[in-house]
Amino acid sequence: MEQTSNTGHPRRWAILAVLVVSLLVVVLDNTVLNVALRTLADPVHGLGTTQSELEWAINSYTLVFAGLLFSFGVLGDRFGRKRFLMIGLALFGLASLLSAYAQNPGQLIGARALMGLGGAAIMPVTLSIISNVFDPRERGKAIGVWSGAVGLAIAIGPILGGALLEHFWWGSVFLINVPVVIVGLVAVAILVPESRNPRPGRIDIVGVLLSVVGLVGLVYGIIKGGEDGFGNTEVLLTGGGGLVVLAAFVWYESRISFPSLDVRLFKLPRFSAPIAAIGLTFFASMGVFFFSSFYLQLVRDYSPLQTGLLFLPFAIAQLIFAPRSHAMVQRFGAKAVTATGLSLVTLSLIGFVFVDAKTSVWFLLLDFFVQGVGMANIMAPATESIMSALPREKAGVGSAVSNTIRQVASALGIAILGSILAAVYRGQIEPTTTALPGPIQEVANESISGAYGVASRAGQAGGGLISAANDAFMTAMHWAAGAGAVILGLGILAALIWMPGRRAGADHVQPVEAAAEELATAG
């Protein structure tokens, strides 16, 4: 029956604004960190972190975040989404304060893990609340705004981080979260209504433990493999063990009645295809953001602020195209829009394969803009497809799965593409560093920032090392970008084969309680 009245909350657009602020502080954090990587690697102005420690500073947050999203989505549905949003914001603010005043890389990695705990409580409930306060006919537009906020945060983070690093110490990139969290807490308390699932499931403790252990083992193995080679015994044990534990997680989740991740959902093409599109996009894109920061600040010698400003076209593209992606889906269908978005992101990665140390800044600006347009036309239609595949009371599950895949893909993208970058860089730079003493040679071989540090203490002889490090890094970056483009090619195929077409995409704006019957049939 056609709906004639709007079932949304009277203050739904003000609530959306509050949720966007809450979301911004979570997503902003990782992208702010990207421009601080060079500073953190500096032993004088930063903490002297190695490339591996930098990857863990990013991934400790991501892994805790991803590992707990399943359960926190269920807990929010059970005990109250507003309550979990406020708890998450408070934890995130406290952890930001601890990160700002970390005295060594270990403390920073630990504080970042605590930030992931807060983020895991925030992220799933934002989409859950949107699904509950908006009428299904307006949900697509609201999710478009939400998706635009994700893209905006990815892009303005480097600008904000660069501006802070120009005038303050590195800890300011974390300290800035604290006042935003305070404002968010007040706004949530005043505006956001409480909601919960009237029939919540039980907490899946075993599933949570398996997912966290499996993810940490897999990503640790990948990062360690980039440093020591993938034939290393420790790499095989941790990475292979992580895969085995994750396989056990999937097996266990498919056989219990209260799973934190209902793996049967992936039998629904309109659920699994957009999940794959989002995951592969963030896998490739976050890897690019990781290595492009080193390229811009070291090879091109741009300041943190200049680096952040170069990401501005990405933000502009998100602001323009994400809110309009819902209308594009209605006109052309989710399949066409998502496949086009994936193709544009792939094109931007191919562009990086041809970037060198003297590439015009206009080419870089255009490349980031194309990437932003592509992501804007993936996130919104894919997220809407995921959320529309479930009834409102299960919104936390859909949100948790969507965001978990995004975070896991981001972690794996940074780890895998970062490992490709490290391995190729090492192979290219070793002929130049053979004459260096053992400990210094190891530092120069590990990363381009390490080579720059060695060169700064080598006087006139350092110029040759910097030139060789730049050349080695450019070759490594081309390989990493090419690998990301190949991965995204798989995403394009998945979208073309399994994403819903024009007619099915139009149906998504209607309530889909019939999805339960479809799921039962698939099972």
Side-chain angles (χ1 to χ4, degrees):
M1 181 181 298
E2 185 178 354
Q3 293 180 319
T4 56
S5 61
N6 194 310
T7 60
H9 193 281
R11 298 196 306 268
R12 57 192 177 278
W13 294 108
I15 293 168
L16 178 62
V18 174
L19 297 177
V20 164
V21 172
S22 302
L23 178 71
L24 279 174
V25 74
V26 175
V27 182
L28 198 72
D29 180 71
N30 264 346
T31 54
V32 164
L33 185 58
N34 279 334
V35 295
L37 295 177
R38 180 184 178 182
T39 304
L40 285 169
D42 190 316
V44 177
H45 300 100
L47 297 176
T49 50
T50 65
Q51 180 166 311
S52 174
E53 288 168 339
L54 289 173
E55 290 184 33
W56 276 110
I58 295 174
N59 285 339
S60 63
Y61 171 89
T62 302
L63 289 176
V64 173
F65 191 126
L68 294 176
L69 270 173
F70 297 136
S71 293
F72 278 15
V74 174
L75 288 171
D77 287 344
R78 174 189 284 270
F79 296 112
R81 292 151 184 155
K82 175 179 179 177
R83 178 178 300 170
F84 257 70
L85 180 56
M86 296 188 70
I87 291 172
L89 283 169
L91 280 174
F92 197 89
L94 174 62
S96 297
L97 190 63
L98 294 175
S99 296
Y101 292 100
Q103 299 300 305
N104 56 60
Q107 290 181 11
L108 177 62
I109 291 169
R112 292 274 300 158
L114 182 59
M115 291 177 75
L117 184 69
I122 296 169
M123 180 68 84
V125 296
T126 59
L127 268 180
S128 301
I129 293 169
I130 288 173
S131 294
N132 277 273
V133 301
F134 278 90
D135 184 282
R137 293 169 296 180
E138 290 183 321
R139 187 185 299 151
K141 183 177 181 181
I143 289 177
V145 174
W146 181 93
S147 300
V150 172
L152 177 64
I154 290 172
I156 67 173
I159 300 172
L160 176 61
L164 290 170
L165 290 171
E166 288 279 316
H167 301 95
F168 306 102
W169 99 114
W170 63 264
S172 62
V173 301
F174 299 111
L175 200 61
I176 192 65
N177 292 333
V178 177
V180 179
V181 163
I182 293 172
V183 172
L185 282 169
V186 173
V188 169
I190 295 172
L191 290 173
V192 176
E194 186 60 279
S195 64
R196 52 176 56 86
N197 184 353
R199 296 184 298 276
R202 287 187 287 168
I203 307 303
D204 176 20
I205 297 175
V206 174
V208 172
L209 292 176
L210 287 174
S211 65
V212 173
V213 171
L215 287 169
V216 170
L218 176 60
V219 174
Y220 178 84
I222 292 170
I223 294 175
K224 196 70 175 173
E227 297 174 354
D228 303 332
F230 287 94
N232 181 280
T233 302
E234 183 181 357
V235 170
L236 293 174
L237 287 175
T238 55
L243 283 173
V244 171
V245 173
L246 288 175
F249 167 73
V250 173
W251 177 86
Y252 178 78
E253 296 296 291
S254 67
R255 283 161 174 77
I256 61 174
S257 56
F258 50 94
S260 57
L261 172 60
D262 188 351
V263 294
R264 295 180 306 155
L265 290 172
F266 291 95
K267 294 181 179 180
L268 300 176
R270 61 175 169 168
F271 184 86
S272 56
I275 285 284
I278 289 175
L280 292 174
T281 300
F282 275 85
F283 175 95
S285 298
M286 291 304 100
V288 169
F289 273 107
F290 181 74
F291 64 65
S292 63
S293 176
F294 286 101
Y295 164 72
L296 293 171
Q297 293 190 59
L298 292 173
V299 178
R300 300 301 296 266
D301 198 29
Y302 290 123
S303 70
L305 179 57
Q306 290 171 325
T307 299
L309 289 173
L310 283 170
F311 290 120
L312 189 59
F314 184 96
I316 293 172
Q318 290 285 325
L319 286 173
I320 294 173
F321 291 97
R324 292 168 171 77
S325 60
H326 176 60
M328 299 294 287
V329 170
Q330 289 183 316
R331 182 172 181 181
F332 299 107
K335 175 183 293 189
V337 174
T338 305
T340 301
L342 286 165
S343 298
L344 289 173
V345 178
T346 304
L347 182 63
S348 72
L349 292 182
I350 293 172
F352 261 101
V353 175
F354 298 98
V355 165
D356 60 31
K358 297 182 179 179
T359 297
S360 168
V361 69
W362 295 109
F363 180 88
L364 297 173
L365 293 172
L366 177 62
D367 205 49
F368 285 126
F369 182 80
V370 170
Q371 185 179 6
V373 174
M375 287 192 70
N377 285 288
I378 297 168
M379 281 293 293
T383 303
E384 184 185 351
S385 178
I386 293 164
M387 299 305 292
S388 298
L390 298 170
R392 282 188 179 189
E393 63 270 16
K394 293 290 185 181
V397 176
S399 173
V401 172
S402 170
N403 286 296
T404 298
I405 294 297
R406 184 169 64 82
Q407 291 296 325
V408 170
S410 296
L412 291 178
I414 292 170
I416 293 175
L417 296 184
S419 294
I420 293 173
L421 187 79
V424 176
Y425 170 83
R426 182 179 297 107
Q428 295 289 314
I429 194 69
E430 280 180 345
T432 304
T433 60
T434 51
L436 295 174
I440 297 177
Q441 181 184 25
E442 184 178 342
V443 171
N445 286 346
E446 186 194 23
S447 67
I448 185 173
S449 57
Y452 268 67
V454 170
S456 66
R457 296 188 294 271
Q460 293 183 347
L465 178 59
I466 287 177
S467 178
N470 285 345
D471 291 341
F473 182 83
M474 293 306 306
T475 301
M477 187 178 79
H478 294 159
W479 276 92
V486 170
I487 294 294
L488 273 180
L490 300 176
I492 296 171
L493 289 176
L496 290 174
I497 295 171
W498 290 299
M499 281 288 286
R502 184 174 180 180
R503 178 174 295 178
D507 292 341
H508 282 177
V509 297
Q510 302 299 326
V512 288
E513 281 72 13
E517 297 179 13
E518 184 181 347
L519 184 57
T521 302

